[in-house]
Amino acid sequence: MRKSLLVVPVLLTASLVAACSSTTTSTETSAAASTATTAAASTAASPAESAAATMAAGPECGTTVDEIAAKAKEEGNVNLIALPDTWANYGGILKSFRDTYGLEAPVATPDASSADELTAITTLAGQPDKPDAIDIGPSFVEQAKTDGLITPYETTNWAEIPDNLKDPDGNWIGAYYGIMSIGSNTTLVKNAPQTWADLKKPEYKGQVTLNGDPREAGAAFAAVVAASLANGGSYDDLMPGIQYFADLKKSGNLQVIDVTEAALVSGDVPIALDWSYNFPGILPKLQEAGFDMKTVIPSDGLYGSYYAQSVVSDAVHPCAARLWMEHITGDAGALGYLAGGAIPARYAAMDAAGTITADMKANLPAADLISQITFPTAAQTEAMKAQLTENWGPMVADQ
């Protein structure tokens, strides 16, 4: 289970859609390694005044990446949380960060949820291992802001990040995003499902794995929304998706466990419902275990979103936290996300600059699928969450 999620509109640029591979829908080739690479909440009246006040009130970390890095090295570390190595190639991104800046950058509880991340900030307040930066579903950003758990920070590349992938007051950045997909262990599943409708077939009994509880886990929530869209539902009506999983459970096809690396490599998860960027990184280890995998983005229910990164208020290592934000939004972090099949926030600017090669684009979902994605409003998502909270227990979890 990882990172509860609220999706808000993400407008895909024409350059992104045109640049994405139009044929790649599987992870049959291993992901490449990634290449090397304010403060208190403002009460000002406007976003511009808020940002100015925030930066003025923040720690003296500098205004360039080199200056921030120097201060971060003085602090000596950065505490991170909930970043599995195979999630959007965070393993490669972390390695490039550590190699570049010489910071250990430990990751606490890699498979934690967004709720777990915010709990850690609170329970570890005043402790040396309190998280310095977080990576959470946008629904938890509002809670984090209200509770004073995060602080604004505008990265040095702020202007190249689309408005719909950043908070106007600097509270968060959506550094990467992807699409809900179906990953099949083709050694165990000879006839890999292609659609949500396929997953209801009797041949998949006990094999379809929802990644945690959708009331808590972002990937699971996304799967329910996608299934709803595939079965006559909409962003105003999640009930068809809830009914879909109720039917899957009743038929015996559904299992609800965490889709972790261990579960995939052991063969306990023959079919996984997860983000498109979470499968490339696991392929080498699956192959070592004698398995192969195919990833399909089902055309009958498309759904995609981002995760949001923030600097934690009263961070133990405030400059190192800002350096981490610079790294994941900079070229090294962005290319690392691409290596894992995730779409980085600065994709359009980097593509225009010629930084992204055709081989890198091959890891992305097909352009024709990306172009079909639509997004709910925040109000629609809140309504879907309410439907899920009310109905998931009696219809699915408690059955």
Side-chain angles (χ1 to χ4, degrees), residues 72-147:
K73 289 178 182 179
E74 291 177 9
E75 294 173 349
N77 207 349
V78 60
N79 298 332
L80 303 174
I81 186 171
L83 303 177
D85 280 354
T86 56
W87 182 283
N89 188 35
Y90 263 123
I93 295 168
L94 285 161
K95 184 179 186 304
S96 68
F97 178 80
R98 291 162 178 156
D99 290 348
T100 301
Y101 299 110
L103 300 178
E104 184 180 354
V107 177
T109 53
D111 293 310
S113 69
S114 296
D116 295 334
E117 294 185 65
L118 300 191
T119 297
I121 296 172
T122 301
T123 59
L124 295 175
Q127 301 300 312
D129 54 348
K130 173 185 172 181
D132 294 313
I134 52 176
D135 182 288
I136 60 176
S139 61
F140 278 82
V141 171
E142 288 305 314
Q143 177 186 339
K145 289 166 58 178
T146 299
D147 294 346

Side-chain angles (χ1 to χ4, degrees), residues 142-157:
E142 288 305 314
Q143 177 186 339
K145 289 166 58 178
T146 299
D147 294 346
L149 301 180
I150 57 175
T151 190
Y153 176 64
E154 295 185 8
T155 56
T156 59
N157 51 35

Side-chain angles (χ1 to χ4, degrees), residues 159-251:
E160 292 187 345
I161 298 172
D163 289 344
N164 48 22
L165 287 174
K166 62 187 179 186
D167 177 64
D169 294 326
N171 289 290
W172 57 266
I173 293 171
Y176 64 96
Y177 58 101
I179 302 175
M180 179 51 48
S181 62
I182 302 172
S184 299
N185 183 325
T186 53
T187 306
L188 303 176
V189 183
K190 300 301 183 183
N191 181 28
Q194 304 295 305
T195 64
W196 294 100
D198 285 347
L199 294 175
K200 300 183 77 170
K201 295 178 179 178
E203 65 190 274
Y204 303 127
K205 189 176 183 67
Q207 296 184 334
V208 182
T209 311
L210 185 62
N211 192 5
D213 188 319
R215 294 168 293 186
E216 301 174 2
F221 175 79
V224 178
V225 179
S228 182
L229 297 177
N231 286 275
S234 68
Y235 295 142
D236 297 311
D237 181 14
L238 192 63
M239 293 307 297
I242 299 172
Q243 185 62 57
Y244 172 87
F245 281 100
D247 294 342
L248 277 189
K249 186 169 185 181
K250 184 176 181 180
S251 70

Side-chain angles (χ1 to χ4, degrees), residues 30-37 85 87-100 280-281 324 327-328 330-342 344 350 360 363:
S30 62
S34 70
T35 58
T37 116
D85 280 354
W87 182 283
N89 188 35
Y90 263 123
I93 295 168
L94 285 161
K95 184 179 186 304
S96 68
F97 178 80
R98 291 162 178 156
D99 290 348
T100 301
W324 172 250
H327 183 74
I328 59 176
D331 285 1
L335 294 176
Y337 286 131
L338 278 170
M350 293 174 64
M360 294 171 184
N363 276 328

